[in-house]
Structures are given as structure tokens and as C-alpha cells.
Amino acid sequence: MTMHIENDMSNQPSHHPIRIEGVDVLVLDIPTIRPHQLSVATMREQTMVLVRIRCEDGIDGWGEASTIGGLAYGEESPESMRANIERYMAPLLVGADAASPGHCMHLLHASLQGNRFSLCAVETALFDAQARRMGVPLSALFGGRIHDRLPIAWTLASGDTARDIAEAQQMLDLRRHQVFKLKIGKRPVRDDAAHAAAIKRALGERASVRVDVNQAWSGTEAMLGMRLLEDAGIDLVEQPIAAGDHEGMRRLRAMNRVALMADEALHGPQDAFRLAELRAADVFAVKITQSGGLVKAQQVAAIAQAANLGLYGGTMLEGAVGTIASAQLFSTFPALAWGTELFGPLLLTQEILAEPLDYRDFALRLPTGPGLGIALDEDKLAFLRRDRARTTVAQG
Ligand code: MUC
Ligand code: MG
């Protein structure tokens, strides 16, 4: 027997609708504590893109869509995100029902292509507002929190081996991090492998050492690199070759014993499905921006789990908003075998929260308040805004 389900409710929310009144985009430039050197860019500052959704019940929701090195890492720049959110997304959202984040996102998905990072910021703001409205942490809207604290890796990327070793030793002594990811891929493969081996030798069993090549190697360089890194005691190699080369990833995984992680290759659930089907990675780096938002990141994680792959909670070096949004979602994953790298705010020289995030004993503790569970320092935001800086220059 075929069941026919009446669908005359599509425009009729079963609750009292709450109108979205406005969408604001704030672009902040914040210097990093030291240059952060990746194969694709050297960061001296992070440009944070924050989205605030204002609702008629007086509740604001916040989201973030930061990327790395302008257009060096992803297809969206801070400037394109601001333009696309203001010009194309905000008009679709204003007047829509804030109490249904799913419906709001459906409106956007039906009218827009791409723009995963911007969509992530908007979706985060919608869920933050709705969770605040309901008086529950954002994690409650994604199945509920399983972990109250998440292990946090640190990235060593000063570009100098001795400085990286000193930094790692300091982090171990402070009990802030015991997992270190090295950014490699700028130098010849043998030099990078020697750099990684020296760091692992210095830290020994006190730390897990991993590398991220950010797509810099060719197939043959990766074959050599993975062998040398395995001999050096490196636990994991992240995205050694081009993001689109799924077949190359499959081959590398089949011929090596060191664990292989997909990062840039994962642009949401479709890539996750394809990579899992091909067995082209051992571990997925789940990122809310790269996935296109919290819901799609949850789907990426579900695919990994179904395929028996390991999970790692990744970052785009977001500030506090994107970091805690990621943490809220990752706290609902039953297993996070490879931990997380949600250290973004610690790389920045400026604090934008009224009360900083709680990093101690190698972990980030999740806030318990409603929504994201954080309070932004509005004076600090006003001070750090890029458009304010321009005004100051113009006046001075
Ligand atoms: C990446 O590719 O993983 C994450 C940590 C870090 O230092 O850079 C990012 C991006
Ligand atoms: Mg990576």
C-alpha cells in the first residue's frame, strides 16, 4: 500500500513564527602571536568574518566564517563572504522565521550555489539564536553533548625547527597541548621529513606528532614522504596531495602504514561519501566551514562513522565564535579518536569574549550556557572592525 502524506504545511510553521529583522557582517583583522607558516600562506593576522542575526524577539545569534590567507586556502575570501552574505543571503533571511533554522537554510540552499563558509556562519547564527531561545546549549539541538571537554592539538608552524621544539616543550610544561601538528610542504621532502624527525626525537613519547602538507606534494613526493615520516615515528599525515586527487589518496593509503587524513578533500557529505567508498583515508578532519555548516558537518561525521573511519575535529583557525560552534558539534560525536585542533583563539593577540574560553589540562572545556554559551565583548568588536580602522585612517 502506498502512503500519501499531505504536504499542505510547508509554509505553515507549527509554532509562533519569529521574524528575522537583520543580518550584520563584521570583518575583524587580528594579529597572530607569531607568523603561522603553511605551505599555501604565511599568516601574520587572521581576518575574522562574524555574522550576527537579529530577531524580533530581541535575541541575537552569532556565527563565524573565517578562512586562511585570503583566497590561498578556500574559494571564499573574507571580502567575498561579506559581499555575498549582505547582497544575496540577507534579503532571503530578513522576514523569515528564525525559530526554524532548517527552513531558513532551505531557503538559502534553494537559491544559492557554493559559499560553504558563508552558509556555515549564517547557519551557526541561526542555531545559536534558536538554542538561546530554547534555553539550551547549541549541542542539545544536535543530539546532545557526550563530552564536556575536548582534547586540543597545537600547530607548530614557526618555520624553524628549534623554535618549534621550544614551543612544544613549553606547551607540554603548561599542560596545554600534548598533540602537535607540523605544517610542512614548503621545503624539499627530505628536509621536511628531517624537521619532523627532529621534533619527534626531542619530544619522544611525551607527545603525538603529526604533519599537515596542505596538498603540497606530488604523488611521488608523497610516496617518499610518507615512508620517511613513518620511519620518524609520525602518527598521521594530513592531506599530502591535491584535494581533488581522491584516487591518489586511495593509492597512498593502500601502500602506507602511517595513518592518512583527508582535510581539503572534504567539501561536505558528497566528498565524504566518495572518499569513504574509495577507502581513500583513515581519518576525516571534520570542519564546520569546509562542510558548509553544522548540519552537513554532522553528516560528514555520520558517513565516517558508518564507514568505520576515524574522526578529527578540525579548524580553519577561527576565533572564539567558530571555535566554540565547532566544539558544540564535536561534543556530540560518540568517538573522536584523533581529538581536535580547536586552538584558533590561542593563536590570536586579541580576546573578543567577555570571558575567555577555558583551555587547561590539554583540553577545552565546553561552556554550559544557552546557545554557543559565550558573550562577545562588543567594545572589543567595535575596536577591531576593519571598517573602523578605515575611518580612523581617513580622519588621521
Ligand atoms: C588546516 O589545513 O588544517 C588547521 C590548523 C592549522 O594550523 O591550520 C589549519 C588548517
Ligand atoms: Mg589541514
Side-chain angles (χ1 to χ4, degrees), residues 295-371:
V295 169
K296 287 184 187 288
Q298 189 179 41
Q299 292 167 353
V300 168
I303 291 166
Q305 235 186 303
N308 206 18
L309 303 178
L311 280 182
Y312 181 65
T315 180
M316 285 302 293
L317 300 177
E318 293 104 324
V321 174
T323 294
I324 213 65
S326 303
Q328 293 276 355
L329 179 69
F330 300 161
S331 75
T332 70
F333 295 171
L336 262 170
W338 296 83
T340 82
E341 56 180 14
L342 294 176
F343 67 86
L346 300 170
L347 191 64
L348 304 176
T349 52
Q350 299 283 332
E351 178 58 61
I352 62 162
L353 297 184
E355 199 182 312
L357 299 182
D358 186 0
Y359 288 99
R360 67 193 138 102
D361 286 332
F362 309 115
L364 167 65
R365 278 163 174 75
L366 272 97
T368 51

Side-chain angles (χ1 to χ4, degrees), residues 19-23 82-96 107-108 111-112:
R19 207 175 164 276
I20 294 177
E21 292 192 327
V23 180
R82 166 182 242 160
N84 290 346
I85 295 168
E86 288 179 347
R87 174 75 177 83
Y88 297 100
M89 299 186 191
L92 292 166
L93 292 167
V94 171
L107 289 175
L108 299 181
S111 305
L112 306 166

